Amino acid sequence: MITFGLPKGRNLDPARAALAAAGLHLDGLDSSRLRQRFPDRNVLGTPVEVLLLKDWDLPLYVEHGIVDCAIIGSDVLEETQPDVFRPLQLKDGRSRLSLIAETPELPKRSGQLRAATRYPAWAARLLAERNFHVEVIHLTSSIELGPLLDLTDVAVDIVQTGTTLRTHDLHEVEILARVAPTFVVNRASFHAYRRRLGELLGALEETEAGGD
Amino acid sequence: MKISAGLPTGVSASLFDSARRRRRLEARLSALLEERGFAEVLLPILDYFEPYRPLLTGRRLEQLYRFVDRDGQLLVLRGDFTPMLARLLAPHLDELELPLRLYYRGDVVRHQPLRPGRMREYSQLGAELLGGDEAEADEKMLTLFFDLLLAARAGRPRRMQRDVRHGLPQARGEAPAPGDGEEHTLRVVLGVAGALDEALLAAVGARKASDLALRIASRDRIAARRAGLADVVERGYPTDLSVLGGAGEAVSKLLGLRDRLSSAYRDAAIEVEVDLAEFAAAALDPRIGVGDGPRGYYDGLMFAAYAPGTALALGVGGRYDKVFRSLSGGCSAVGFSLGLDLLLELGAAETRS
């Protein structure tokens, strides 16, 4: 039996759709239940257990081997840097990590900028690569409020459709990175289920659910 | 004032039963090593820092705990047995009778990010074989590696522990589901340091080869396919070994070694596979700047053992002739270390299940 970790929230639907297109149907998956088991009539040829967990917790469960594989946002992976394999990214559910400000250009500051983000480590790396001198402020939600309430000069956050930005009259100054739901596998599980997972991953590629 | 019983991050104590279990495991493994003609060496916990500059690279150097003692000497806490042993033996190689079989056990300390199952102080048991015919030595040491893993009875347990906790059929005494058999097998993956170097450089050039090496090590299928190296990620090695250039011959020999070991250990629930992607970041070509990973000093055969449900490899090893070359003590050398804490964790899970 192979245990899948699937994310609650925005990545669940793209994850389910991609797995179904590749021959792993999770019919009757109840998003309110933690653990569910599905029979072996699937591309893996073995029963599948699904654990529905929060995106931010999934990397630890995969690293520990509690779940064999999972679909996790690449934003979470970049921030938490788990020691897991990342065979492919899904095409659906993609978004971007952007630098957001109240003006179309970066605000001019003689000193360092202050940036609000839920990704302090990743944002710091990306901004350092661009030679920005930035003080990163860690917020856990409503990141756009940082510049709106003058806590920070800018925000670094996920932009999917841009609706939130338009609502608050904010501007996407620069795209810092692309974000995609990513199929990840525990190192030992990869070796244990190499053939079975290879078939699923091959099917994901063929259905073009996975890509670049 | 109340005295806290807390310990620094990444450090733990073995008390009572866990101490007894560790000593019993050490005794079992040591007995097997002695039986095979390996002699124990006891190495110090403190050493100078300077000798390690040429022996260790990048991350490994950064992970050493170093400090200036009261005499003004820059010292390190033992972070790895192998280079310490090599630097102590190199000046005396002329006086020693080769091949030399040695083993060690004890703790190493590394300042590394905490990960599941990864402490900053942890116990290892390892063995080294210096000198002798290289191919023969590689096979002998792999056989020893397998036998020690079996002696530690590390082949099954973690998934069984999970099944108990989850109340799944196996734990309830019901028949296992199709495909469950493969969950209880120990996997040993084999590779060769630098085996992909020529293929990476040919595929994307020197500027992008490091990034491709890391992507392949992470089993990125799309990047591998674009580089014409899909086979490496999907089955572990290319169908046409000629794409590996000069490394093709070494990998061909490795496939032969895999077949012999697979056949010898088929009944022992150990699966052996060649997986060059596992060691893609162990580059030897200086144009591929990722060769300073945790296995940075290997320059030939490499191997690692995994059990299902574990976060880390139970043991790793390989050939490290270049360490002796850099010490001006030309000598072939192959060795490995096993993580005793991981083996004990697996053993405990087996007992509970």
Side-chain angles (χ1 to χ4, degrees), chain B residues 174-198:
Chain B
E174 298 169 14
D180 278 359
E182 66 182 7
E183 296 170 349
H184 304 305
T185 304
L186 192 68
R187 253 79 182 179
V188 177
V189 290
L190 310 178
V192 178
L196 293 175
D197 289 5
E198 283 187 51

Side-chain angles (χ1 to χ4, degrees), chain A residues 127-207:
Chain A
L127 294 169
E129 282 169 14
R130 287 162 174 77
N131 293 319
F132 286 136
H133 297 286
V134 179
E135 180 190 356
V136 175
I137 308 285
H138 185 200
L139 294 181
T140 54
S141 63
S142 303
I143 311 302
E144 69 282 0
L145 294 183
L148 284 175
L149 299 180
D150 289 333
L151 173 69
T152 61
D153 304 301
V154 294
V156 174
D157 201 18
I158 298 290
V159 177
Q160 203 151 21
T161 61
T163 308
T164 307
L165 300 188
R166 284 191 292 278
T167 305
H168 295 290
D169 202 17
L170 289 167
H171 298 269
E172 190 173 8
V173 177
E174 186 179 341
I175 296 171
L176 299 174
R178 301 286 172 183
V179 174
T182 304
F183 194 105
V184 303
V185 188
N186 168 272
R187 296 181 74 92
S189 302
F190 180 87
H191 294 294
Y193 303 114
R194 185 177 197 122
R195 185 180 55 77
R196 293 177 191 276
L197 287 175
E199 281 171 21
L200 173 64
L201 290 165
L204 276 169
E205 273 189 80
E206 276 175 25
T207 58

Side-chain angles (χ1 to χ4, degrees), chain B residues 63-125:
Chain B
Q63 287 176 348
L64 290 174
Y65 278 86
R66 53 189 129 163
F67 57 95
V68 179
D69 79 350
R70 291 181 188 188
D71 302 325
Q73 299 281 359
L74 185 56
L75 303 182
V76 288
L77 291 176
R78 184 173 63 213
D80 200 330
F81 281 96
T82 302
M84 181 186 273
L85 193 54
R87 92 167 187 83
L88 293 175
L89 291 175
H92 306 291
L93 281 176
D94 292 343
E95 308 147 32
L96 296 168
E97 194 179 329
L98 299 178
L100 192 60
R101 296 176 180 82
L102 301 169
Y103 80 95
Y104 57 81
R105 50 182 157 157
D107 288 357
V108 292
V109 192
R110 294 178 194 160
H111 191 273
Q112 53 191 0
L114 293 177
R115 294 283 187 207
R118 184 189 289 160
M119 302 291 278
R120 287 186 177 156
E121 180 185 11
Y122 49 97
S123 52
Q124 289 187 333
L125 177 142

Side-chain angles (χ1 to χ4, degrees), chain A residues 95-145:
Chain A
S95 54
R96 52 199 187 267
L97 185 80
S98 295
L99 194 59
I100 297 159
E102 289 185 285
T103 55
E105 307 260 310
L106 265 187
K108 297 275 185 286
R109 288 282 181 278
S110 54
Q112 62 182 10
L113 283 173
R114 297 181 106 195
T117 185
R118 79 184 77 210
Y119 309 103
W122 190 28
R125 281 203 309 277
L126 290 170
L127 294 169
E129 282 169 14
R130 287 162 174 77
N131 293 319
F132 286 136
H133 297 286
V134 179
E135 180 190 356
V136 175
I137 308 285
H138 185 200
L139 294 181
T140 54
S141 63
S142 303
I143 311 302
E144 69 282 0
L145 294 183

Side-chain angles (χ1 to χ4, degrees), chain A residues 1 65 81 196 205 212, chain B residues 115 162 180 183 221 226:
Chain A
M1 188 181 70
Q81 297 279 307
R196 293 177 191 276
E205 273 189 80
D212 207 5
Chain B
R115 294 283 187 207
R162 262 164 60 183
D180 278 359
E183 296 170 349
R221 293 169 70 97
R226 283 187 177 161

